């Protein structure tokens, strides 16, 4: 990253060894406090595609490597190594939930999401689901993958969540939402959908 003119493969050669990235999960970026080296021309599009200098990064292992050193500092997304930190732009969420696995049923149901970088997160207290109103597309669901990094849930999976939905009392009101690992995640008030 120090030499920003190099392609990402060359600029980050050896990073996998330095961060210990294999199939062991994300690097311990929360422990690192390197100097801030500014921003680089890297962007994560709303569809989960990573771009470097305007070109898509087509190699999944490289994207997974970048994802393993991603952190959110306040409102800013950064890539962090033991020796430097650089900012990048994220259009919506840094990850995209592309697959949903439903295990169990009733009170024992578990909803596990796989992201575009092959991370998994089962919706629970530590990995909540949240639903936000989008500009034109209605509710947009997100699941927290790790720390303060969220995945936008693909639209097709949103419809799967709606099909799994139930009505429950939440904060003294009737809400429509989904359950996972004993936690209710509200989507919208029943009063908002009556008569549709």
């Amino acid at each position: 990253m120090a030499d920003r003119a190099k392609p990402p493969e060359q600029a980050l050669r050896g990073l996998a060894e330095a961060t210990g990235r294999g199939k062991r999960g994300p690097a311990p970026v929360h422990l690192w406090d390197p100097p801030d080296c500014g921003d680089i021309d890297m962007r994560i599009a709303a569809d989960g595609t990573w771009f470097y200098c305007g070109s898509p990064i087509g190699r999944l292992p490289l994207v997974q490597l970048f994802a393993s050193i991603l952190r959110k500092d306040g409102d800013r997304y950064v890539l962090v190594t033991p020796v430097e930190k650089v900012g990048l732009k994220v259009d919506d969420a840094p990850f995209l939930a592309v697959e949903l696995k439903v295990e169990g049923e009733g009170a024992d149901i578990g909803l596990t999401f796989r992201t575009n970088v092959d991370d998994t997160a089962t919706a629970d207290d530590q990995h909540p689901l949240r639903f936000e109103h989008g500009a034109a597309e209605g509710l947009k669901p997100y699941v927290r993958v790790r720390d303060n990094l969220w995945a936008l849930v693909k639209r097709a999976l949103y419809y799967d969540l709606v099909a799994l939905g139930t009505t429950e009392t939440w904060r003294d009101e009737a809400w429509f939402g989904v359950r996972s690992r004993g936690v209710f995640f509200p989507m919208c008030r029943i009063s908002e959908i009556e008569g549709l």
Side-chain angles (χ1 to χ4, degrees), residues 59-185:
R59 293 183 52 222
L60 180 59
L62 186 59
V63 170
Q64 290 171 323
L65 179 62
F66 286 131
S68 75
I69 60 169
L70 183 65
R71 180 172 85 190
K72 189 171 185 188
D73 290 351
D75 291 334
R76 185 173 179 237
Y77 289 93
V78 293
L79 298 176
V80 184
T81 72
V83 296
E84 65 183 348
K85 172 172 62 174
V86 294
L88 69 157
K89 184 178 185 318
V90 177
D91 290 352
D92 190 339
F95 306 123
L96 185 66
V98 296
E99 185 178 295
L100 171 62
K101 183 176 181 182
V102 180
E103 298 175 303
E105 57 186 47
D108 297 324
I109 195 167
L111 307 176
T112 300
F113 297 87
R114 183 181 63 81
T115 71
N116 59 318
V117 294
D118 285 333
D119 287 335
T120 59
T122 300
D124 59 16
D125 285 333
Q126 300 300 310
H127 304 93
L129 282 166
R130 76 174 201 262
F131 297 86
E132 295 184 1
H133 289 280
E137 61 274 359
L139 287 179
K140 292 171 57 176
Y142 296 84
V143 62
R144 184 164 55 200
V145 177
R146 63 177 185 268
D147 301 322
N148 199 20
L149 300 176
W150 294 77
L152 172 64
V153 177
K154 279 184 75 169
R155 199 75 188 153
L157 301 184
Y158 168 68
Y159 296 123
D160 293 340
L161 292 175
V162 169
L164 293 167
T166 62
T167 301
E168 296 194 21
T169 300
W170 186 74
R171 296 185 180 170
D172 299 324
E173 289 186 78
W175 282 76
F176 180 79
V178 292
R179 281 200 157 271
S180 179
R181 296 292 185 247
V183 181
F184 180 69
F185 300 102

Side-chain angles (χ1 to χ4, degrees), residues 11-29:
L12 294 171
R13 183 173 290 142
L15 183 59
E17 292 81 17
T19 62
R21 174 72 170 164
K23 287 294 179 187
R24 295 183 298 195
V29 295

